[in-house]
Amino acid sequence: MLLAGPTAVGKTALALELARRLGTEIVNADSMQVYRHMDIGTAKPSAEEQRLVPHHLLDVVDPDEPFDAARYVAMARPVIDRFHRRGRIPLVVGGTGLYMKALTRGLCPGAPAAPEVRRTLMEEMARRGSAALHEELCRVDPVLGRRLHPNDRQRILRALEVYRATGRPLSHWQEQHRFQVSLYPGIKIALFRDREDLYERINRRTWIMMEQGFLDEVRNLLAMGYAPSLKPMQSLGYRHLCDHLSGRRDLDEAVALIQRDTRRYAKRQMTWFKGDPEFHWFHADDPDPVFRWVERRLGETDAG
């Protein structure tokens, strides 16, 4: 069972209650909550919430370890298979649509790696910056370019690596795959809120994170030796506060940019999940229809 939705929509609270009612546990599907030492800025479930319902795939790698959808699937499938062998339904919760799609539909094999091309691209990125390479990607692969943020260095590098090595955009390879394999039968739930309500929640949660010590969390990560250029340190919030700590922007500006970019990210998440017709949508403020719908679907499954 999948529970998805944009950041700050209210997935955690509903997931805890749904897991309690089903007598099951939660499998994380958030690409940032897999990292150790990154708790506040990723809105990771609190220690108390993790005591209420066991969670899996939280804090499984350090910020300087490579992690992607393939590694996520490799770690998640054994966990899910253990649930299935015991006759229990795992509850996969998160906002990273690619991880959920890869888990349920398989990974696009894409083109083989081209190490020489990758090295050239990394040199270009160091010299020209990720924004310039993102502009190039938008020209050669506009479909993927629209989906990727200019700071998403790793995915930009991979997309340009594929294009330069094969002459075909990565979106072409993905279209050939089309995620047509169904690895797990699933119940897919997505939560939504009115846009203004969601944006207000994002703005408010950003300030709550700051009050909880988000800046100190980033400061501690830098003190531990994790470079600002690392993929997770370039994610929402972390890159903005790294800029503040380096003196490139003041704190109020950094917070405002976190809020703005998080709102934009939430919009992209909504677009992603709406592209999957298997998701059934529910308003986050009214959980009872979710519980009734899940109960009905499980009853239909048992009857079948």
Side-chain angles (χ1 to χ4, degrees), residues 8 11 26 34 40 42 45 59 71 77 91 95 100 130 144 157 166 175 201 216 243 246 253 256 261-262 280 290:
K11 295 185 294 293
I26 292 172
V34 300
I40 298 172
T42 65
D59 301 318
R71 191 170 179 190
R77 281 185 183 164
L91 179 57
M100 289 185 165
S130 62
L144 192 58
L157 286 171
T166 70
E175 179 65 18
R201 286 173 63 90
D216 285 336
D243 284 348
S246 69
E253 181 187 9
D261 291 348
T262 305
H280 293 260
V290 178

Side-chain angles (χ1 to χ4, degrees), residues 12-284:
T12 298
L14 191 141
L16 291 170
E17 178 59 19
L18 189 55
R20 187 190 66 80
R21 290 177 180 233
L22 296 174
T24 191
E25 300 173 9
I26 292 172
V27 180
N28 167 52
D30 182 291
S31 63
M32 287 301 299
Q33 292 181 359
V34 300
Y35 292 107
R36 303 182 186 102
H37 318 301
M38 305 182 84
D39 302 329
I40 298 172
T42 65
K44 196 174 293 178
S46 67
E48 176 60 26
E49 289 167 335
Q50 293 184 50
R51 281 193 293 270
L52 290 172
V53 174
H55 286 63
H56 302 268
L57 298 190
L58 296 175
D59 301 318
V60 292
V61 291
D62 289 327
D64 57 355
E65 292 184 59
F67 198 90
D68 56 16
R71 191 170 179 190
Y72 172 77
V73 170
M75 298 180 75
R77 281 185 183 164
V79 175
I80 291 172
D81 290 343
R82 286 199 300 271
F83 278 95
H84 288 164
R85 287 195 297 270
R86 303 199 312 258
R88 299 172 69 188
I89 301 171
L91 179 57
V92 179
V93 182
T96 304
L98 177 61
Y99 282 17
M100 289 185 165
K101 181 168 278 191
L103 182 62
T104 58
R105 292 288 182 175
L107 283 163
C108 171
E116 289 296 330
V117 174
R118 171 61 69 101
R119 277 194 288 273
T120 299
L121 282 165
M122 291 180 69
E123 292 171 0
E124 289 184 29
M125 181 165 284
R127 186 175 67 254
R128 299 168 56 199
S130 62
L133 291 191
H134 181 259
E135 290 180 6
E136 179 181 339
L137 177 62
C138 288
R139 291 195 298 272
V140 301
D141 190 351
V143 172
L144 192 58
R146 286 193 298 268
R147 294 210 308 259
L148 296 185
H149 190 278
N151 287 328
D152 195 343
R153 296 166 181 255
Q154 295 303 315
R155 290 191 178 95
I156 292 171
L157 286 171
R158 174 58 180 161
L160 287 175
E161 174 189 353
V162 169
Y163 179 77
R164 291 189 184 182
T166 70
R168 291 183 172 180
L170 181 57
S171 59
H172 164 81
W173 295 88
Q174 293 172 340
E175 179 65 18
Q176 295 302 305
H177 177 63
R178 296 182 66 86
F179 295 98
Q180 293 176 340
V181 178
S182 181
L183 300 176
Y184 298 107
I187 297 173
K188 294 184 175 182
I189 303 161
L191 301 181
F192 73 93
R193 289 180 181 274
D194 297 336
R195 184 177 65 177
E196 292 305 315
D197 180 25
L198 179 63
Y199 287 2
E200 175 57 31
R201 286 173 63 90
I202 288 170
N203 292 343
R204 186 167 62 250
R205 191 178 72 170
T206 301
W207 281 114
I208 291 173
M209 287 176 172
M210 296 304 297
E211 293 169 358
Q212 291 173 335
F214 189 10
L215 184 59
D216 285 336
E217 179 172 275
V218 175
R219 187 180 285 116
N220 290 338
L221 284 161
L222 294 171
M224 293 168 70
Y226 295 115
S229 58
L230 289 173
K231 178 182 173 182
M233 296 293 280
Q234 282 293 307
S235 64
L236 275 172
Y238 291 91
R239 69 173 180 269
H240 303 87
L241 294 183
C242 282
D243 284 348
H244 165 68
L245 291 171
S246 69
R248 285 195 288 272
R249 64 180 84 255
D250 64 38
L251 186 57
D252 286 342
E253 181 187 9
V255 171
L257 288 174
I258 294 172
Q259 294 170 325
R260 183 201 68 183
D261 291 348
T262 305
R263 294 192 299 268
R264 292 176 175 177
Y265 175 58
K267 184 177 180 180
R268 295 196 299 274
Q269 287 176 297
M270 289 292 291
T271 300
W272 176 286
F273 291 120
K274 285 181 177 179
D276 186 339
E278 294 181 350
F279 274 106
H280 293 260
W281 290 84
F282 298 89
H283 197 286

